[in-house]
Amino acid sequence: MVTKLTIEYDGSGFAGWARQPGERTVQEQLERALRMVLGETGTDGEPLGLTVAGRTDRGVHAWGQVASYAHEAVDPLRLNGLLEDDVAVLAAEPAPADFDARRDARSRTYCYRVLARRARGAFERGRAFWWPGELDLKALSRCAAELSGSHDFTAFTPTETEHSRFRCEVLSAEWLTKGDVLEFWIEADMFLRHMNRALVGTMLEVGAGRRALEDFTALLDGSTRPQAGRTAPAHGLALARVSY
């Protein structure tokens, strides 16, 4: 018996998804609520716990995170009554007995939001990275167009990493404009730690005229981290959806 959860959360008050000693995490909050309803043990005989599609870092949000656990489905309203206001279960659905939220995911889609205007925002605070300088939107779009396909993203993840595979297959990537907010949408089979934020930080350098498009493209062949741009702040990023 396995259940698939769809979850959203405001990452501002969390130290990320994964459990960490002495830290408030999304996984800890959700597992605590589930155990209050279902008990300490899953139907597989193991301690009741969640397997997640994508582990988000401190401060990163989620609009459509997916997790699975070995037990019956619980009404989201019941679970949400046990959770604090910055995390909510959107759906709890019975899944095939062998369903695994991480292993079975075909792709993940992320969105990074940039408030591109001279005045800071009151309502986008904590939801979008404020960029008061000029940006060439065509240059940003050209950067995104270079990302489709298989590339080595070593330059866009920390040098000290647990990753052993650095090549990701990008299914789509584009910049969209919604008023003063620019949104970078990217879907891929997998993502490296900090990859999206490092990509955005580097593309913004191209958009600001501080880096040539050719320099950005060259980074996709497995360059080192110091050659790429800064890592954009976490609060602009959200895990939008997971596809199966």
Side-chain angles (χ1 to χ4, degrees):
M1 181 180 298
V2 174
T3 295
K4 174 187 175 185
L5 292 181
T6 304
I7 311 147
E8 68 177 15
Y9 49 86
D10 177 344
S12 304
F14 291 105
W17 165 269
R19 276 183 174 273
Q20 302 171 52
E23 296 279 9
R24 181 174 183 261
T25 68
V26 183
Q27 182 180 13
E28 178 270 327
Q29 294 279 301
L30 284 166
E31 288 181 348
R32 178 183 57 81
L34 285 169
R35 288 170 179 171
M36 290 177 66
V37 177
L38 299 172
E40 296 291 323
T41 307
T43 54
D44 57 358
E46 299 293 329
L48 184 60
L50 290 165
T51 298
V52 72
R55 292 196 303 174
T56 51
D57 291 327
R58 180 187 296 269
V60 175
H61 313 299
W63 304 333
Q65 176 70 278
V66 176
S68 57
Y69 65 88
H71 215 305
E72 65 183 277
V74 179
D75 187 340
L77 294 181
R78 188 175 183 188
L79 287 176
N80 290 338
L82 299 171
L83 295 167
E84 296 185 49
D85 291 344
D86 51 358
V87 56
V89 175
L90 304 180
E93 310 163 84
D98 60 349
F99 177 73
D100 183 289
R102 180 187 61 81
R103 186 184 62 241
D104 293 340
R106 293 187 297 102
S107 67
R108 290 100 174 143
T109 300
Y110 283 84
C111 176
Y112 195 97
R113 305 177 74 246
V114 178
L115 179 62
R117 71 183 190 194
R118 186 177 180 186
R120 63 177 176 82
F123 296 105
E124 294 294 350
R125 180 172 55 91
R127 298 287 184 278
F129 174 38
W130 175 40
W131 184 275
E134 295 291 327
L135 284 173
D136 183 340
L137 301 185
K138 290 183 179 179
L140 291 177
S141 293
R142 286 195 289 269
C143 286
E146 295 293 324
L147 294 174
S148 292
S150 178
H151 301 286
D152 185 333
F153 288 94
T154 302
F156 301 97
T157 194
T159 302
E160 295 184 5
T161 178
E162 297 178 355
H163 292 294
S164 58
R165 173 189 167 195
F166 298 90
R167 184 165 291 276
C168 305
E169 182 76 24
V170 176
L171 305 178
S172 63
E174 63 179 340
W175 282 91
L176 301 177
T177 303
K178 295 185 177 180
D180 292 326
V181 175
L182 306 179
E183 294 184 347
F184 172 62
W185 288 82
I186 181 169
E187 180 182 7
D189 63 340
M190 61 170 281
F191 289 91
L192 308 177
R193 186 166 182 242
H194 294 177
M195 173 177 152
N196 290 321
R197 292 161 54 198
L199 279 170
V200 170
T202 308
M203 286 189 285
L204 289 174
E205 290 183 0
V206 177
R210 303 173 191 167
R211 182 188 293 265
L213 175 64
E214 293 74 20
D215 290 342
F216 174 77
T217 304
L219 295 172
L220 301 175
D221 291 328
S223 300
T224 60
R225 180 67 187 91
Q227 293 178 281
R230 293 183 179 180
T231 302
H235 67 267
L237 184 63
L239 173 57
R241 61 179 176 268
V242 183
S243 298
Y244 292 91

